[in-house]
Amino acid sequence: MRRITGFRLCALVLGALCLASTAGTAAEPPPGLSPTEREVFQRIKARIIREATKTLADDRFEGRGTLQPGGDKAAAWIADRMKTLGLAPGGEGGTYLQPVPLVATELVEPTRVSVDGTPLTYGKDWSSLGAFADLQVSAPLVFVGHGLVSKKSGRDDLKDVDLRGKIAVCVEGPPAGVTVEKWAEISADANLLETLLARGIGGLISLANGRELLPRTFVIDQTARRVVSVPSTTPPSEIPVMFFGAAAAERLMAGSGKTAKQALDEAGSAAFSPWLLAPKVDIQLESSRKEGTSPNVIGVIKGSDPVLAAEAVVFSAHYDGFGVLRQTIYNGAADNAIGVGEMLAVAEAFARARVKPRRSLVFIAFTAEEYGLLGSKHYAAHPTWDLAKTAAVLNLDGIGTEIMGPMKGMVAYGAKLSSLGPMFFEVARAYGITPMDDPIPAQGVFRRSDHYPFAERGVPGLMLVGSPVDDPQQFTERFEEFERTKYHQPSDDVYRDWYWKGARKVADMMALIGHRVAQADALPSFNAGSEYAGRARGEAPKAAGR
Ligand SMILES: [Zn+2]
C-alpha cells in the first residue's frame, strides 16, 4: 500500500502500510461451488504464486522501481506471463502495456541541511516532503507550536506573529492527553500548511512529540526517498517542507533554556504564543529530474456471453516497489510481489478453464502505486476497457498477512460500500473465513490502493487482505510489527517460513468473487447512502484531471 502524506494542522498523517512453506497438494474446494467454480478452484496453484512472487522479489528485478530498469524488466516479465497464458493484450497499440508518463526527482549533491553550521544526516535527522525544487534558504526560525488556528476550538496559536519569510517550526503529534483521533476532530476546521503559506512562510519544519500516528524515525526513513510524480500536475514545492528527527529537534531548541520535550509539551497549552528560535538553519536542496514512462500491464480473457462479454471484471495488483535507493534493493515481496503472484494465479486458472465466465476478465498489474496510485489513476482517466462497462475491481495489496499462517480472517476493504459486500460475505462463509471490519480505520486504507480511483469514478471494488488471526487487536499487532520491521524497507523479502497456502486462499477467494460478479445478471452497485452512490460508471470525479 502506498504512503499517504498530508498536513493537517501540525498533524501530519503519514500512512502506515501504501497492508509453513510447502506449496501444498490440491485442497478440497469449499461446499456450494458451481462446477465451473470448482474447476477454477482446482486450477489455482500455490506453486504458481510462489514462483511468480519469488521471481518478482528476486534481486535481478532490482525492487521493481518506477522509472528504473528493474520496473521495466518486471513489466516485461508480467506481460510475457500474460502472453504465455493466452491472455489477449489489453494495453495500448495491441500490446500488454499502457505507458504512464511520469517524472522522478531525487535529492543529489550538494544538498545540505545544517543547524549552526553542523550538518544533519539526510534520512536520519531530516527528510523533505514532495517533489523537490532547487532551493537555498537561510531564514529566522519561529516555533509556532501546533499552529492551530481554529474558530471551532477558539484557539489561535499564530497570534501576534509575523511569519513572512521565516521558517515555521511546528509540532505534529497531539498535545498530552489527547488522542490522534480527538486531535483530528479538534483541528478539523484548520489547515496548517495553507494557513502558514497564506502568512508567507519561507519554509516549514515539522517536529514530533512522540504522540503522532507513526514514529518519527519511520516517517523520515519513508520520506527521504526519490519521488515519482505526474509531470504536468506536480510543480515542485517552492519552499522546503521538512521533517526533523529528535536529535535535530534538540539542536533547534539550543539556547532557549528548554529541552525539546519541554518546548513541545508547552505547545499543547491553549495559551501558547509563537517564539523565535536562536539557532541558524541553512538549507540547500538540489535535485535531479528524470522524465519517462512506466507501464501498466494489462491482459484480457474474453467472456463467453455474446452480450455480457462487452463488460469486464478487473483484477488488479501493483507490481512496483521502491527499487534501488542509495545502492540498496527494496525487493517489496509482501508489498506487493505476492499480490501480483496471486493475481497471475487467478489469471492462469481462468485462462485454463474450459468454460469462461459470461463477462470478460481484465488483469492489470499497476505501476507507481507507491507514489500515490499514479498507475491506476492514469488508467482510470484513460481506461483501455470502458469504465462504463467495468463491473467491479478486485484488488490485492497489503503486507502479506496471508502468508503468516493458516488464514482465519479477511478484511475486504470496500465491502460496506457496495453490493460486493454480501458476495464477499457469502464466499468468506463458504471458506469458513471470518469477515473482519477494518481493524485500522485511522489509516484510511480504502483510499490508499489501486481500487480507489475506480471507486472515484463509480466502479465498486474490494481489496482483499487475508489474515492468520480474526481478532482485530491481534491483526493490528501483526500489522504494526510488519510496519516497524519490514514495511517499505529492504527487509520486505520472501522468507522460508511463508505459508503459501494462505496466499492460495486469497487467490481462490478473489477468483470466486470475481467469477460471481462475472456471472451475475446485474452489475454490482454502490449502496444507497455510501459516498460513491449515484456516480455513473466512468464519470470523472469532481476534482478530476488526475
Ligand atoms: Zn502496496
Side-chain angles (χ1 to χ4, degrees):
M1 270 173 255
R2 75 170 171 109
R3 304 175 284 171
I4 47 171
T5 49
F7 267 98
R8 166 175 265 185
L9 296 173
C10 272
L12 175 112
V13 181
L14 184 104
L17 299 186
C18 161
L19 254 189
S21 56
T22 55
T25 48
E28 268 304 299
L33 301 195
S34 71
T36 315
E37 286 172 349
R38 286 178 72 90
E39 193 199 349
V40 169
F41 175 92
Q42 270 146 7
R43 291 183 189 277
I44 289 183
K45 302 278 190 273
R47 179 180 51 80
I48 304 289
I49 302 173
R50 191 178 56 194
E51 282 171 10
T53 305
K54 282 186 154 178
T55 301
L56 289 169
D58 189 272
D59 280 355
R60 73 193 153 101
F61 285 93
E62 296 173 345
R64 310 179 305 283
T66 302
L67 296 183
Q68 290 186 339
D72 291 344
K73 209 169 153 184
W77 185 86
I78 296 164
D80 192 58
R81 281 295 293 264
M82 287 181 173
K83 190 176 174 193
T84 306
L85 293 175
L87 270 61
E92 291 176 3
T95 73
Y96 292 89
L97 307 181
Q98 177 186 45
V100 180
L102 296 167
V103 57
T105 56
E106 192 167 6
L107 289 175
V108 291
E109 288 288 327
T111 291
R112 290 268 182 284
V113 175
S114 61
V115 180
D116 282 338
T118 306
L120 303 180
T121 307
Y122 180 56
K124 183 168 161 278
D125 293 322
W126 70 276
S127 65
S128 169
L129 191 64
F132 312 108
D134 291 347
L135 297 168
Q136 195 142 15
V137 180
S138 181
L141 301 168
V142 185
F143 183 53
V144 298
H146 292 278
L148 180 58
V149 179
S150 158
K151 282 206 178 85
K152 206 175 117 206
S153 65
R155 190 162 148 164
D156 182 3
D157 288 353
L158 303 180
K159 50 187 168 283
D160 308 324
V161 65
D162 178 6
L163 290 172
R164 274 172 301 176
K166 300 194 178 82
I167 297 173
V169 178
C170 71
V171 51
E172 186 199 329
V178 181
T179 62
V180 171
E181 291 77 18
K182 185 72 192 162
W183 188 235
E185 222 175 88
I186 292 170
S187 55
D189 66 334
N191 184 317
L192 175 77
L193 192 54
E194 258 176 38
T195 307
L196 292 176
L197 287 173
R199 305 271 182 117
I201 55 164
L204 178 62
I205 295 172
S206 165
L207 308 181
N209 61 11
R211 291 186 284 270
E212 50 288 322
L213 198 56
L214 297 165
R216 180 52 43 126
T217 46
F218 177 83
V219 171
I220 289 181
D221 174 64
Q222 302 274 309
T223 47
R225 297 183 178 193
R226 66 199 275 274
V227 170
V228 176
S229 50
V230 178
S232 55
T233 59
T234 323
S237 171
E238 292 299 322
I239 64 162
V241 177
M242 314 174 83
F243 301 107
F244 271 27
E250 217 60 72
R251 285 184 181 281
L252 292 183
M253 298 301 161
S256 70
K258 292 173 190 180
T259 64
K261 183 175 185 330
Q262 283 164 339
L264 299 182
D265 280 349
E266 282 171 21
S269 158
F272 172 85
S273 288
W275 45 278
L276 283 168
L277 296 171
K280 185 167 171 290
V281 172
D282 294 299
I283 297 166
Q284 184 177 7
L285 304 183
E286 294 276 338
S287 60
S288 67
R289 185 181 158 88
K290 178 188 170 188
E291 281 200 45
T293 64
S294 174
N296 292 324
V297 191
I298 310 167
V300 175
I301 296 176
K302 194 99 196 303
S304 58
D305 183 282
V307 177
L308 293 185
E311 296 172 350
V313 181
V314 170
F315 298 78
S316 66
H318 76 86
Y319 71 88
D320 63 297
F322 283 94
V324 180
L325 296 173
R326 288 175 241 153
Q327 285 84 50
T328 303
I329 301 176
Y330 287 61
N331 280 324
D335 181 15
N336 187 35
I338 196 168
V340 178
E342 289 160 357
M343 181 188 76
L344 288 173
V346 173
E348 171 149 357
F350 279 115
R352 297 196 193 286
R354 280 162 302 188
V355 183
K356 305 299 184 220
R358 296 165 76 193
R359 288 192 176 83
S360 297
L361 311 177
V362 176
F363 294 87
I364 312 180
F366 283 117
T367 185
E369 190 271 352
E370 299 291 8
Y371 297 98
L373 320 183
L374 303 182
S376 52
K377 281 180 180 170
H378 180 87
Y379 178 88
H382 311 277
T384 57
W385 192 286
D386 189 356
L387 285 188
K389 294 194 163 120
T390 298
V393 56
L394 302 175
N395 185 41
L396 296 177
D397 187 10
I399 56 164
T401 34
E402 68 268 36
I403 42 76
M404 292 176 182
M407 207 166 98
K408 278 197 195 157
M410 183 180 266
V411 188
Y413 288 94
K416 289 199 166 150
L417 299 173
S418 76
S419 60
L420 295 171
M423 280 179 143
F424 162 68
F425 294 131
E426 202 178 287
V427 169
R429 241 193 324 274
Y431 276 86
I433 295 290
T434 311
M436 295 162 67
D437 276 346
D438 182 356
I440 41 170
Q443 300 229 3
V445 172
F446 184 72
R447 293 167 188 267
R448 288 173 45 203
S449 192
D450 292 319
H451 51 280
Y452 182 63
F454 288 79
E456 280 192 306
R457 290 174 188 259
V459 178
L462 293 177
M463 179 168 79
L464 306 175
V465 178
S467 162
V469 290
D470 55 6
D471 172 72
Q473 180 59 33
Q474 287 177 25
F475 179 92
T476 306
E477 280 162 22
R478 301 241 174 171
F479 179 87
E480 285 175 354
E481 178 179 344
F482 182 87
E483 194 169 77
R484 264 195 314 277
T485 58
K486 301 195 179 78
Y487 176 65
H488 292 177
Q489 295 168 44
S491 49
D492 179 7
D493 231 320
V494 176
Y495 290 86
R496 294 181 74 91
D497 66 348
W498 274 22
Y499 186 79
W500 292 97
K501 287 183 197 169
R504 200 214 129 140
K505 199 163 273 186
V506 168
D508 284 348
M509 292 174 71
M510 185 198 217
L512 197 48
I513 297 166
H515 185 261
R516 289 182 180 183
V517 175
Q519 292 296 91
D521 291 336
L523 293 174
S525 55
F526 282 107
N527 297 336
S530 101
E531 65 176 294
Y532 309 99
R535 286 189 205 188
R537 276 187 168 75
E539 191 183 296
K542 291 222 169 63
R546 288 181 280 187

